[in-house]
Amino acid sequence: MQFQVPKGTYDILPCGEVEPWMNSGLWQLVEGTARDICRDYGYKEIRTPIYERTELFDRGIGETTDIVSKEMFTFLDKGGRSISLRPEGTAAVMRSFIENQLNQHGSSHKLFYIAPMFRYERPQAGRYRQHHQFGIEAIGVLGPEQDAEVIDLLCEFLRRLGLKNFKAQINTLGDKESRESFRQALIDFLRPHFTDLSEDSQIRFEKNPLRILDSKDPKDQEILQKAPSILTHLTPESKAHFQTVCKLLDSTQVPYIINDRIIRGLDYYTKTVFEIIVDDSALKVSLGGGGRYDGLLKTFGGPDLPSCGFGSGLERILQTMLHQKAHTELGKGPFLTFIPLGDEARELCFSLATALRHDQIPTEIDLLSKKLPTAFQQADRQRAAYAAILGTEEMKKEKIQWKNLATREQREISLAHFLEEVRSLWKLSR
Ligand code: HAM
């Protein structure tokens, strides 16, 4: 019996032959860019377990959201506790922040993660049951500068990856008072349409009417076209916060539009929310989204600190990079590949390769090819810069053939000076 990868998941492979975006070199490039940008903006890494108590997500994300009501991988552990694979990063970061009393280590906390998330979704383009997010959570700052920093960081990440034609769609959900007033207006608007709403939305009407705005049902969508806008229900304080976020974004290179229909699929948001959409992609999906969630830490019994963040889907970003022929050049291969021909040469090449590796010079050794043309093909596939060929003839002459694989130029180096010469060539190449 042959096993297959579980439905909605995939392997990240050292080659790009199955699907170019599954190439681990490209993943390293994207993850490396995320790490670099976090260094530039002052965010530090946090890692939490891939599973948590189910209740954390029920309470954090909201029981009436699709994520919690339909998409969680939930099971009982051997102790009878309900456990769920994390569908998103924010709730777990809040749990960790409180449990580890991170608030005692300063007043502003800027955290990032690159981690797999699990959602039992119907597999389709851009939707996986295990996907990966680069996310940030900034805890402690109430001012609109924080919201603008978070949105700018995500856009700068996409720009550094060479992506084009993306736009932030931003909205505000206001403070509690604004949402209460909007909630009532929405109920008044929807009540005459109640029987025409989808079954899910009828349930949400009672429990959490704002969730109806997130419905994907075409009939709900049609009814919602004439729904009131949150923007006309903002308190003066919420309005001023949103206006300043927009003003700050005007001063950055962030391309954005205001879309009062964006409410996001998780219940914890307050004030600013946003999604990044690509215009020209065949995939009409969000590359990332987030916003402010000021009350969440307190809900979990933690300090009353304001917070703001985003999560971005790395699969979708990689697929868009390839679609747009963006910057997908892979890192360099080894500096040199040894090609030993014969047992004696293999032994000598092994010890030379080991010495160079201990000097931190990326070195490969071809232990399989029997013929030179195959060995060169293999070295080219690895994207090696040089090949060092050692056969019986060279052993006798105490020389090694040194070939530049880009120019195909070849010369001899004496074995006695070989290590020294490679070390200085390596230094020169950096
Ligand atoms: P989210 O919008 O649910 O937000 O997910 C963030 C991003 O993850 C999406 O924009 C999308 O790019 C990607 N994504 C989500 N589900 C899938 C899937 N099934 N397959 C592939 N990609 C997917 C959150 O998770 C929030 N925790 C973000 C946040 C952080 N808000 C504040 N802080």
Side-chain angles (χ1 to χ4, degrees):
M1 182 193 175
Q2 258 202 346
F3 292 105
Q4 285 178 336
V5 75
K7 202 169 172 185
T9 68
Y10 58 90
D11 298 311
I12 298 174
L13 303 164
C15 52
E17 266 107 50
V18 182
E19 281 274 358
W21 66 269
M22 293 177 186
N23 180 318
S24 55
L26 278 185
W27 279 80
Q28 282 169 10
L29 175 95
V30 170
E31 289 168 1
T33 307
R35 288 178 192 284
D36 286 351
I37 209 157
C38 284
R39 182 204 52 214
D40 298 346
Y41 282 70
Y43 285 73
K44 304 256 165 54
E45 186 170 14
I46 182 163
R47 299 188 194 194
T48 61
I50 63 162
Y51 60 82
E52 298 275 351
R53 293 276 296 273
T54 303
E55 212 190 328
L56 177 82
F57 302 120
D58 288 351
R59 287 186 43 206
I61 302 169
E63 279 172 312
T64 49
T65 59
D66 277 355
I67 297 180
V68 167
S69 63
K70 299 180 185 160
E71 296 168 2
M72 285 219 290
F73 280 89
T74 298
F75 56 94
L76 288 184
D77 71 5
K78 287 191 177 13
R81 287 170 287 258
S82 181
I83 297 291
S84 294
L85 300 185
R86 68 171 167 224
E88 61 101 49
T90 313
V93 170
M94 295 303 110
R95 194 266 312 137
S96 172
F97 185 87
I98 297 166
E99 190 174 348
N100 297 296
Q101 301 184 350
L102 297 190
N103 58 320
Q104 295 191 354
H105 306 273
S107 48
S108 153
H109 312 267
K110 305 213 285 187
L111 307 167
F112 84 90
Y113 48 86
I114 300 172
M117 307 292 166
F118 305 85
R119 294 183 190 179
Y120 196 85
E121 297 208 60
R122 200 164 60 79
Q124 52 187 301
R127 281 192 197 280
Y128 300 91
R129 290 189 176 167
Q130 171 174 327
H131 73 279
H132 295 76
Q133 282 189 22
F134 160 42
I136 65 168
E137 312 295 351
I139 304 166
V141 177
L142 189 62
E145 293 78 11
Q146 187 62 75
D147 313 40
E149 175 184 287
V150 164
I151 300 172
D152 175 57
L153 191 157
L154 179 51
C155 291
E156 175 61 6
F157 172 56
L158 300 177
R159 258 195 307 267
R160 284 195 198 179
L161 292 172
L163 288 174
K164 300 179 295 275
N165 305 330
F166 59 83
K167 237 184 210 131
Q169 302 206 351
I170 67 168
N171 189 23
T172 177
L173 300 181
D175 52 16
K176 216 168 157 201
E177 203 184 315
S178 320
R179 268 195 313 287
E180 261 315 306
S181 148
F182 177 57
R183 185 175 181 276
Q184 197 48 57
L186 193 62
I187 291 175
D188 295 344
F189 167 79
L190 288 173
R191 200 181 300 282
H193 301 284
F194 182 81
T195 47
D196 295 327
L197 290 172
S198 67
E199 209 178 306
D200 274 353
S201 290
Q202 289 187 357
I203 296 169
R204 286 164 172 163
F205 185 85
E206 303 298 337
K207 292 190 174 171
N208 189 354
L210 254 69
R211 277 276 126 250
I212 298 176
L213 293 172
D214 205 31
S215 167
K216 298 188 182 62
D217 185 283
K219 240 164 82 194
D220 290 351
Q221 284 292 333
E222 206 185 309
I223 296 170
L224 288 168
Q225 273 181 9
K226 296 206 173 87
S229 166
I230 178 89
L231 297 178
T232 53
H233 291 268
L234 298 176
T235 57
E237 194 266 325
S238 289
K239 194 172 178 177
H241 183 96
F242 189 55
Q243 281 172 339
T244 315
V245 173
C246 295
K247 202 164 119 212
L248 291 165
L249 290 179
D250 288 336
S251 70
T252 66
Q253 290 175 40
V254 170
Y256 75 91
I257 53 164
I258 296 169
N259 178 353
D260 64 1
R261 294 295 176 217
I262 298 275
I263 61 144
R264 308 270 302 131
L266 307 94
D267 275 352
Y268 47 62
Y269 291 108
T270 56
K271 294 190 181 158
T272 317
V273 283
F274 68 96
E275 306 253 358
I276 306 284
I277 311 285
V278 178
D279 286 348
D280 69 353
S281 176
L283 286 169
K284 276 276 167 253
V285 287
S286 163
L287 295 186
R292 186 167 271 289
Y293 51 95
D294 289 344
L296 189 58
L297 263 179
K298 197 162 171 239
T299 311
F300 288 145
D304 190 8
L305 292 177
S307 314
C308 188
F310 72 72
S312 64
L314 298 187
E315 289 76 8
R316 297 178 183 184
I317 289 177
L318 276 153
Q319 287 168 6
T320 311
M321 282 166 72
L322 286 153
H323 177 78
Q324 292 190 350
K325 300 189 174 43
H327 173 62
T328 49
E329 207 170 288
L330 295 176
K332 288 187 177 138
F335 186 57
L336 75 151
T337 289
F338 280 100
I339 304 179
L341 301 167
D343 291 345
E344 218 184 326
R346 203 159 27 241
E347 245 174 66
L348 182 56
C349 286
F350 179 80
S351 60
L352 292 171
T354 309
L356 293 172
R357 286 165 172 170
H358 290 186
D359 284 343
Q360 302 183 31
I361 301 177
T363 305
E364 259 294 351
I365 174 165
D366 185 340
L367 296 169
L368 292 174
S369 306
K370 302 249 174 327
K371 299 212 168 88
L372 264 182
T374 346
F376 284 138
Q377 259 177 15
Q378 176 67 5
D380 285 336
R381 198 173 295 146
Q382 290 166 342
R383 285 170 293 110
Y386 294 95
I389 308 125
L390 192 64
T392 343
E393 218 23 54
E394 285 80 16
M395 292 287 284
K396 259 194 241 150
K397 291 199 295 187
E398 300 199 353
K399 298 255 160 86
I400 212 158
Q401 296 288 342
W402 183 250
K403 185 168 178 139
N404 180 325
L405 289 169
T407 62
R408 290 333 226 197
E409 278 163 343
Q410 192 164 319
R411 66 186 170 95
E412 287 183 344
I413 304 181
S414 89
L415 262 175
H417 297 118
F418 179 75
L419 286 178
E420 206 180 308
E421 202 159 334
V422 175
R423 282 182 195 123
S424 48
L425 278 171
W426 167 248
K427 262 196 206 129
L428 277 176
S429 76
R430 313 207 76 209

